Amino acid sequence: MSSDFTLDQSISHDPEDPEYSSRNGKPTLKRRDSLVFKILDGFLEQRNRSFINIATNAVRRVTSKRFSGETREGHPDDSSLPINGDERREHGSEKKSGPLLSGTAYCISSCSMILLNKVVLSSYGFDAGISLMFYQNLVSVIVVMALKLFGLVSTEKLTWKLIKVWIPVNIIFIGMLVTGMYSLKYINIAMVTILKNLTNILTAIGELYIFKKRQNRKVWTAMLMMIISALTSGITDLSFDAVGYTWQIFNCILTASYSLTLRRVMDTAKQTTRSGSLNEVTMVLLNNALSLPLAIFLIIIFNEWEYVYTVDVVRLPMFWVVATASGLLGLSISFTSMWFLNQTGPTTYSLVGSLNKIPISIAGLLLFNVTLSLSNLFSILFGLFAGVLFARAKMS
């Protein structure tokens, strides 16, 4: 569940205008949050064609090609079927609109995921990040298993041998999600986005020492700009929170570690599967399913279960709607990223991912009413520019 993008505002820093309050002892939300819900609900409306059908078809196409040597008897290629003029025109239109639709779906999913997590953690004042992660991952597992049951996706068999290989990756994955949750609670989305750039620097250093992969001068220049923007943004941040920044630093370290460890484990994990490969859906299921037992252990150790049992906000139906939606969006990021990557390529995917931080930051600033100084705003813009420059430099 990835989480680089955040432009939100540190909640509870403005006691004059809290986004979460109580009325007659019951928690309520102010009107500003209804705007967030309306905007997110609007994303689900489609005119002519159901987005769910499009995404489902894309997932089916991606997963059906997972084995290069797989027999296709009984599954003729669509191009071999006779089509009439209307169907041919529709096929051509689909081919042209595919990158646009998949890119839009990917951007909407990633933006909405960050915004919804911010609403749950900040606006609702929910102070149990591990429990929220557990619920979101549980939703993802249920959906993937349902899709598998209906034959829309396929996964490798989760053998004990594969699980043992994957456990180190999963532990880092859980740490990455939990630290991301807590940093998002205390820091506004724009600052999280800028500080997340430090992950690229740590990853590049790791690649240099572990994989002996060297970067060109443009990449190192962009990373230097990222460091400068992170330092200046932190210094000029009017809502600076040491706890939130500490969580985010740990999140950067764990995110870089996850990326580097995943590359090392992938080859070993593929050798433990019957097919000798490991598709993205299997990795999504592995990460989310294996995280559940450890999450339960952490919830007990940190006594979160007692907080969740007694806090009033969990009795609000809308809270569960938002929490469930955030879990579904976390899963949709995995599927839409596969769809977009299949429709375009790594270069376009990387660039759009960097550009996507801009609307996320703007949305976070506007929807959560973040107080900014002019110097902090320029630092954030400079960091966003450095991120785009980094993506372009990696392509060269």
Side-chain angles (χ1 to χ4, degrees):
M1 318 249 234
S2 197
S3 54
D4 285 34
F5 323 167
T6 339
L7 255 198
D8 60 51
Q9 150 191 15
S10 194
I11 55 170
S12 56
H13 284 308
D14 186 5
E16 298 285 325
D17 186 24
E19 296 179 295
Y20 176 74
S21 60
S22 61
R23 183 181 302 161
N24 299 327
K26 295 183 179 180
T28 61
L29 284 176
K30 292 202 169 181
R31 289 185 176 179
R32 180 187 305 148
D33 294 319
S34 65
L35 173 61
V36 178
F37 299 141
K38 288 179 181 178
I39 293 174
L40 295 175
D41 288 340
F43 290 152
L44 301 177
E45 296 179 359
Q46 296 292 328
R47 274 189 176 179
N48 301 325
R49 180 174 297 201
S50 169
F51 166 74
I52 297 175
N53 291 336
I54 297 174
T56 301
N57 291 335
V59 170
R60 188 186 292 116
R61 287 197 299 271
V62 173
T63 55
S64 66
K65 297 178 182 178
R66 67 193 182 283
F67 310 128
S68 58
E70 183 179 4
T71 177
R72 299 192 176 214
E73 290 180 10
H75 300 279
D77 188 271
D78 289 342
S79 60
S80 64
L81 298 176
I83 55 177
N84 58 35
D86 291 338
E87 289 174 330
R88 188 178 293 110
R89 282 192 295 272
E90 183 180 350
H91 178 73
S93 174
E94 229 177 86
K95 189 174 181 181
K96 291 180 179 178
S97 61
L100 178 61
L101 286 173
S102 59
T104 302
Y106 168 67
C107 291
I108 289 175
S109 297
S110 57
C111 287
S112 303
M113 173 70 176
I114 296 300
L115 295 173
L116 276 182
N117 277 343
K118 183 63 177 178
V119 169
V120 173
L121 294 167
S122 297
S123 299
Y124 279 106
F126 189 67
D127 195 23
I130 301 173
S131 300
L132 178 59
M133 179 207 70
F134 171 81
Y135 182 70
Q136 290 177 341
N137 291 358
L138 178 62
V139 169
S140 296
V141 171
I142 292 172
V143 173
V144 170
M145 295 305 295
L147 292 174
K148 182 181 179 181
L149 182 64
F150 288 104
L152 297 175
V153 299
S154 59
T155 63
E156 298 292 336
K157 185 178 180 180
L158 303 187
T159 63
W160 176 240
K161 194 174 182 181
L162 175 59
I163 290 173
K164 283 194 297 184
V165 171
W166 202 263
I167 283 177
V169 176
N170 189 251
I171 292 174
I172 300 174
F173 172 76
I174 294 171
M176 179 181 71
L177 292 185
V178 172
T179 54
M181 291 282 190
Y182 282 110
S183 67
L184 188 60
K185 177 177 177 61
Y186 294 105
I187 311 176
N188 69 71
I189 294 177
M191 283 307 306
V192 170
T193 302
I194 299 306
L195 294 174
K196 265 288 189 181
N197 283 336
L198 298 177
T199 301
N200 296 325
I201 300 170
L202 296 174
T203 304
I205 295 173
E207 287 178 337
L208 178 63
Y209 286 97
I210 298 174
F211 301 106
K212 308 302 179 185
K213 181 180 178 181
R214 299 185 178 276
Q215 308 292 344
N216 58 47
R217 288 185 179 180
K218 291 181 180 179
V219 171
W220 288 109
T221 301
M223 288 193 289
L224 178 61
M225 293 172 63
M226 290 177 179
I227 295 174
I228 295 171
S229 68
L231 291 174
T232 56
S233 297
I235 293 171
T236 58
D237 186 4
L238 297 179
S239 57
F240 179 86
D241 189 295
V243 174
Y245 273 70
T246 302
W247 281 116
Q248 186 55 52
I249 290 171
F250 278 116
N251 179 255
C252 291
I253 294 171
L254 289 169
T255 304
S257 301
Y258 176 76
S259 175
L260 295 169
T261 306
L262 185 62
R263 296 181 196 184
R264 293 182 69 90
V265 170
M266 278 289 293
D267 291 336
T268 306
K270 288 178 181 179
Q271 295 172 9
T272 65
T273 62
R274 185 174 300 177
S275 66
S277 64
L278 196 65
N279 62 30
E280 290 87 346
V281 180
T282 302
M283 288 189 283
V284 169
L285 182 60
L286 264 173
N287 274 332
N288 287 281
L290 293 182
S291 70
L292 299 181
L294 183 54
I296 292 175
F297 175 75
L298 293 174
I299 289 171
I300 295 172
I301 290 296
F302 290 101
N303 208 32
E304 274 197 7
W305 66 272
E306 187 175 346
Y307 168 81
V308 174
Y309 181 75
T310 57
V311 70
D312 290 334
V313 73
V314 299
R315 293 169 178 78
L316 287 175
M318 196 60 192
F319 170 82
W320 290 106
V321 171
V322 176
T324 303
S326 66
L328 293 173
L329 284 168
L331 182 61
S332 75
I333 291 174
S334 301
F335 286 147
T336 55
S337 62
M338 282 192 291
W339 180 23
F340 185 42
L341 189 59
N342 184 54
Q343 290 285 333
T344 55
T347 300
T348 305
Y349 177 82
S350 176
L351 183 59
V352 170
S354 297
L355 292 173
N356 195 37
K357 294 180 180 181
I358 298 174
I360 290 175
S361 299
I362 295 173
L365 290 172
L366 295 177
L367 293 175
F368 296 96
N369 195 27
V370 180
T371 303
L372 288 176
S373 64
L374 188 60
S375 56
N376 187 233
L377 177 60
F378 277 118
S379 298
I380 291 172
L381 294 176
F382 183 70
L384 293 174
F385 172 74
V388 176
L389 187 64
F390 175 82
R392 291 294 303 271
K394 291 280 284 186
M395 296 174 195
S396 60

